[in-house]
Amino acid sequence: MEKSKVLVVGGTGYIGRKIVKASLEQGHETYVLQRPDIGLDTEKVQMLLSFKKQGAHLVEGSFSDHQSLVDAVKLVDVVICTISGVHFRSHNLMMQLKLVEAIKDAGNVKRFIPSEFGMDPARMGHALEPGRATFDEKMTIRQAIEDANIPHTYISANCFAAYMAGNLSQMGTLFPPRNKVVLYGNGNVKVVYVDEEDVGTYTIKTIDDPRTLNKTIYLRPPENILTQRELIQEWEKLIGKQLEISPISQHDFLSSMKGVDFASQAGMGHFYHIFYEGCLTNFEVGDEEEASKLYPEVQYTHMDEFLKLYV
């Protein structure tokens, strides 16, 4: 079967660059949207040029120019959007409504993957404010996609390893502690950690697969379904030392959210749902919805291997 042509919107972003890499590695003709608002960001310009060197096509387009988006979309079969939805960086999820309109007007797209890649927003209607806004916006995008009858796949990638595993799920750092560690509750809630390279690999695997059409696909590699306590134990084995554990109760964690800035409150709310509520693993996923079952050939990175980078 001929491989689909892919347009990545947000290709210079954190997860976008992994998607571009995976698309090229899996042999897809790959286009990356080159937005004029990149301005004088030399790092992003160099990244775009590196994509070009690897065989990707750069295509100009802007969210403020509808026709440019339509023209870009018409070049491909699949559109993957990876623009940021995290409050501590940039939060642009609703811009995707303009992309949905362009896809609708172009009329040629066989699959659209919107920017999600975290918790399944359809299961987060009860989420705490202000972090709930992220899930509500993602559901607004989903509604627009479905109202326009655009073929789609939603990717629930759970916890990015570099943000949530490399630091033993500590807030405010991306490196693992070597002396003291904060434990959420009893630390026994199951969490799903996924290496970002694997997020890219699995995402691209879905785009030509009829089994994933109009479905939510969950990235739950079985060896990476770990409690925070188990993750800490893996790190302790690697460094040959036990950490001093400081548990924080659910009540104290919620109390600590008061008075912090908006972005911190949003992030802490997500941590609450993951580590106290168990929102990533408190429901069953069928084999046809779980990426590692659909694509057993993918040799995904286990978290003990991932943590070795930090020793």
Side-chain angles (χ1 to χ4, degrees):
M1 186 174 68
E2 188 177 344
K3 290 179 180 285
S4 289
K5 297 177 182 178
V6 179
L7 172 67
V8 182
V9 179
T12 60
Y14 179 65
I15 202 64
R17 67 193 72 172
K18 310 293 187 185
I19 301 286
V20 173
K21 180 184 179 209
S23 181
L24 290 167
E25 285 179 347
Q26 293 181 42
H28 293 272
E29 190 171 344
T30 304
Y31 293 75
V32 182
L33 194 71
Q34 178 184 329
R35 289 157 57 187
D37 56 5
I38 202 168
L40 299 176
D41 190 329
T42 54
E43 184 181 342
K44 288 188 176 182
V45 170
Q46 291 302 311
M47 195 180 305
L48 286 171
L49 294 174
S50 76
F51 293 154
K52 187 177 179 183
K53 193 173 180 180
Q54 293 167 59
H57 307 282
L58 305 184
V59 53
E60 292 187 13
S62 171
F63 281 95
S64 60
D65 181 350
H66 176 71
Q67 191 57 48
S68 73
L69 287 182
V70 173
D71 292 344
V73 165
K74 282 183 175 178
L75 296 170
V76 300
D77 310 298
V78 172
V79 177
I80 303 174
C81 188
T82 62
I83 59 177
S84 176
V86 291
H87 289 280
F88 66 82
R89 186 177 286 160
S90 58
H91 189 85
N92 299 314
L93 291 174
M94 295 303 282
M95 286 172 62
Q96 291 180 100
L97 289 174
K98 295 181 179 181
L99 187 56
V100 170
E101 284 302 310
I103 292 169
K104 183 179 174 182
D105 287 355
N108 62 296
V109 169
K110 297 176 183 175
R111 193 82 62 104
F112 176 43
I113 297 179
S115 186
E116 293 199 0
F117 304 106
M119 296 174 251
D120 180 359
R123 297 180 178 275
M124 299 306 296
H126 66 292
L128 297 173
E129 297 285 4
R132 176 175 171 164
T134 300
F135 308 119
D136 290 346
E137 289 177 4
K138 287 178 178 179
M139 290 306 294
T140 298
I141 302 303
R142 284 191 181 192
Q143 191 64 55
I145 292 167
E146 291 166 27
D147 286 348
N149 293 314
I150 295 170
H152 57 270
T153 299
Y154 305 135
I155 303 292
S156 177
N158 296 299
C159 291
F160 291 166
Y163 277 104
M164 303 288 277
N167 57 1
L168 307 186
S169 304
Q170 305 299 284
M171 289 184 285
T173 180
L174 293 176
F175 287 96
R178 291 179 177 268
N179 296 302
K180 297 180 181 179
V181 63
V182 173
L183 191 73
Y184 305 113
N186 61 15
N188 291 328
V189 171
K190 290 288 186 182
V191 179
V192 186
Y193 301 96
V194 187
D195 183 286
E196 289 85 339
E197 299 282 342
D198 296 330
V199 174
T201 299
Y202 283 125
T203 298
I204 296 299
K205 286 273 185 184
T206 69
I207 64 176
D208 285 327
D209 189 343
R211 298 174 297 176
T212 63
L213 182 61
N214 297 336
K215 283 187 179 180
T216 299
I217 301 300
Y218 299 90
L219 276 53
R220 278 192 183 184
E223 296 294 327
N224 290 355
I225 302 173
L226 303 168
T227 66
Q228 189 198 7
R229 192 177 286 274
E230 287 170 333
L231 188 70
I232 292 167
Q233 288 167 352
E234 291 288 355
W235 177 242
E236 289 175 331
K237 276 186 224 168
L238 287 170
I239 63 171
K241 174 184 176 181
Q242 281 200 317
L243 303 184
E244 181 185 329
I245 290 177
S246 301
I248 181 168
S249 69
Q250 177 175 313
H251 176 269
D252 288 347
F253 185 86
L254 289 171
S255 296
S256 72
M257 290 174 60
K258 295 171 185 172
V260 301
D261 63 86
F262 180 92
S264 297
Q265 277 194 50
M268 290 175 76
H270 294 179
F271 266 67
Y272 170 77
H273 295 299
I274 292 167
F275 292 101
Y276 291 95
E277 224 177 54
C279 70
L280 302 183
T281 56
N282 62 4
F283 60 95
E284 294 298 317
V285 174
D287 288 355
E288 290 298 297
E289 301 167 291
E290 201 285 299
S292 70
K293 300 284 197 318
L294 289 170
Y295 313 110
E297 70 277 9
V298 175
Q299 300 296 306
Y300 64 86
T301 300
H302 296 190
M303 287 303 100
D304 56 345
E305 286 296 317
F306 184 82
L307 284 172
K308 286 179 182 176
L309 294 169
Y310 298 84
V311 175

